[in-house]
Amino acid sequence: MAGPARRASILAVARRLFAHQGYHGTSTSEIARGAGCAEVILYRHFRSKQALFAAALADGAHVIKGRLEEAIALGGDDPFGALAPAYARLAEDPAVPEVLRMRSLAVTMVDEPEVRATLEELSGGFRATLADAVRASQANGHISADVAPEDVVALFAGIGFLAAFDCAVYGPAALPRLAPAAETLVGLLRPPPTPTAREAP
């Protein structure tokens, strides 16, 4: 197996095992066996178990962020409004529960330098992407102009963290609740309808 393909295979196995067995419950030898390679090959790609965990966390998060960015790009003049349907599609993706469980696990490991750096990088990218979508939708009259984009991002992030918690505690069956919550938030942020000439005082 070529280097990039081998690395991708190791990351996929690592994400699955870390998500279901935890960081300390998963060994690099077990990951290597699952990826069909020797442990020494794993360490050629990742200098430590912590580095592997951080890379698996980032790999899964980039998949989700990429799908959100695709939805934003297709959202026309209301990119933020396109996120609620995208959340519905994510809830149906079998890889998403693993990514959410990894995120929940990573939060408990913020004292590990590589994990903290990865979380900060992922959070910054996610916040910037959503804030830009909010501003674009505001500029086109789809989101109330008096709402701070950073506050909207915090609310959307809250939905994501709740999804991670529910997924960890109740399993993937809890994920379909994500889309209605996102739709409700988008609806609350819509500007009030402009009264027609007949309705105007």
Side-chain angles (χ1 to χ4, degrees):
M1 187 179 293
R6 174 68 70 195
R7 187 179 192 277
S9 176
I10 292 170
L11 286 174
V13 172
R15 187 176 69 212
R16 186 182 76 247
L17 293 180
F18 282 138
H20 292 285
Q21 300 177 182
Y23 181 79
H24 296 293
T26 302
S27 67
T28 53
S29 61
E30 185 179 11
I31 294 170
R33 284 196 304 273
C37 68
E39 193 172 8
V40 67
I41 300 296
L42 181 150
Y43 279 109
R44 288 179 186 172
H45 292 276
F46 306 98
R47 64 182 172 273
S48 66
K49 181 181 176 181
Q50 185 185 134
L52 173 56
F53 179 86
L57 173 67
D59 185 65
H62 287 149
V63 170
I64 291 181
K65 184 169 180 284
R67 291 177 186 170
L68 294 179
E69 288 174 338
E70 289 173 6
I72 288 171
L74 295 173
D77 66 352
D78 185 20
F80 184 75
L83 288 176
Y87 272 47
R89 292 190 292 274
L90 284 172
E92 299 171 355
D93 189 326
V96 169
E98 292 179 354
V99 176
L100 293 179
R101 288 179 67 88
M102 284 281 290
R103 181 194 296 173
S104 296
L105 184 57
V107 171
T108 70
M109 299 170 61
V110 291
D111 292 331
E112 303 290 347
E114 290 189 74
V115 176
R116 174 183 286 274
T118 300
L119 282 172
E120 289 177 342
E121 179 183 353
L122 295 175
S123 176
F126 175 81
R127 288 170 182 269
T129 296
L130 287 189
D132 287 345
V134 173
R135 292 187 189 96
S137 289
Q138 284 179 319
N140 293 308
H142 296 291
I143 298 294
S144 295
D146 60 348
V147 177
E150 293 75 16
D151 293 342
V152 177
V153 171
L155 291 171
F156 246 80
I159 293 174
F161 278 109
L162 178 60
F165 175 85
D166 282 354
C167 186
V169 175
Y170 304 111
L175 284 182
R177 304 175 194 165
L178 181 63
E183 290 172 0
T184 298
L185 178 56
V186 171
L188 291 171
L189 293 169
R190 296 295 190 198
T194 304
T196 64
R198 183 177 299 175
E199 296 171 334

